[in-house]
Short mmCIF file of all heavy atoms in Angstrom, two decimals:
data_model
loop_
_atom_site.label_atom_id
_atom_site.label_comp_id
_atom_site.label_asym_id
_atom_site.label_seq_id
_atom_site.Cartn_x
_atom_site.Cartn_y
_atom_site.Cartn_z
N TYR E 84 175.28 180.64 73.58
CA TYR E 84 176.24 179.93 74.45
C TYR E 84 177.07 178.91 73.67
O TYR E 84 177.56 177.94 74.27
CB TYR E 84 175.50 179.26 75.60
CG TYR E 84 175.17 180.20 76.76
CD1 TYR E 84 173.91 180.22 77.33
CD2 TYR E 84 176.15 181.04 77.32
CE1 TYR E 84 173.60 181.06 78.40
CE2 TYR E 84 175.86 181.88 78.39
CZ TYR E 84 174.59 181.88 78.93
OH TYR E 84 174.31 182.72 79.99
N GLU E 86 180.07 178.73 72.66
CA GLU E 86 181.42 178.42 73.16
C GLU E 86 181.41 177.41 74.31
O GLU E 86 182.44 176.83 74.65
CB GLU E 86 182.15 179.70 73.61
CG GLU E 86 181.52 180.34 74.83
CD GLU E 86 182.27 181.58 75.35
OE1 GLU E 86 183.46 181.47 75.65
OE2 GLU E 86 181.65 182.65 75.44
N HIS E 87 180.24 177.20 74.93
CA HIS E 87 180.16 176.29 76.08
C HIS E 87 179.71 174.87 75.69
O HIS E 87 179.64 173.99 76.54
CB HIS E 87 179.20 176.85 77.13
CG HIS E 87 179.65 178.17 77.69
ND1 HIS E 87 180.60 178.26 78.69
CD2 HIS E 87 179.29 179.43 77.39
CE1 HIS E 87 180.81 179.55 78.97
NE2 HIS E 87 180.02 180.28 78.19
N ARG E 121 181.06 194.28 82.88
CA ARG E 121 181.61 193.07 83.53
C ARG E 121 182.09 193.40 84.94
O ARG E 121 181.92 192.60 85.86
CB ARG E 121 182.76 192.50 82.69
CG ARG E 121 182.35 191.93 81.34
CD ARG E 121 181.63 190.63 81.43
NE ARG E 121 182.45 189.55 81.93
CZ ARG E 121 182.11 188.25 81.86
NH1 ARG E 121 180.95 187.90 81.30
NH2 ARG E 121 182.89 187.33 82.34
N HIS E 151 173.90 188.23 82.54
CA HIS E 151 174.93 187.96 81.54
C HIS E 151 175.41 189.30 80.98
O HIS E 151 174.61 190.21 80.77
CB HIS E 151 174.38 187.13 80.38
CG HIS E 151 175.25 187.19 79.16
ND1 HIS E 151 176.37 186.41 79.02
CD2 HIS E 151 175.20 187.98 78.06
CE1 HIS E 151 176.97 186.72 77.86
NE2 HIS E 151 176.28 187.67 77.27
N GLY E 152 176.71 189.38 80.70
CA GLY E 152 177.25 190.52 79.96
C GLY E 152 178.30 190.03 79.00
O GLY E 152 179.08 189.12 79.33
N ASP E 154 181.65 189.35 77.04
CA ASP E 154 182.95 189.29 77.72
C ASP E 154 184.11 189.85 76.90
O ASP E 154 185.27 189.69 77.27
CB ASP E 154 183.25 187.86 78.18
CG ASP E 154 183.39 186.89 77.02
OD1 ASP E 154 183.35 187.32 75.84
OD2 ASP E 154 183.54 185.68 77.30
N GLU E 162 176.97 189.12 69.93
CA GLU E 162 175.74 188.91 70.69
C GLU E 162 174.67 189.95 70.35
O GLU E 162 173.48 189.63 70.30
CB GLU E 162 176.07 188.90 72.19
CG GLU E 162 176.92 187.68 72.56
CD GLU E 162 177.47 187.73 73.98
OE1 GLU E 162 177.15 188.68 74.72
OE2 GLU E 162 178.23 186.80 74.33
MG1 LIG L 487 180.13 184.47 79.39
#
Side-chain angles (χ1 to χ4, degrees):
Y84 279 133
E86 67 177 303
H87 298 279
R121 293 287 294 193
H151 162 82
D154 64 5
E162 293 171 3

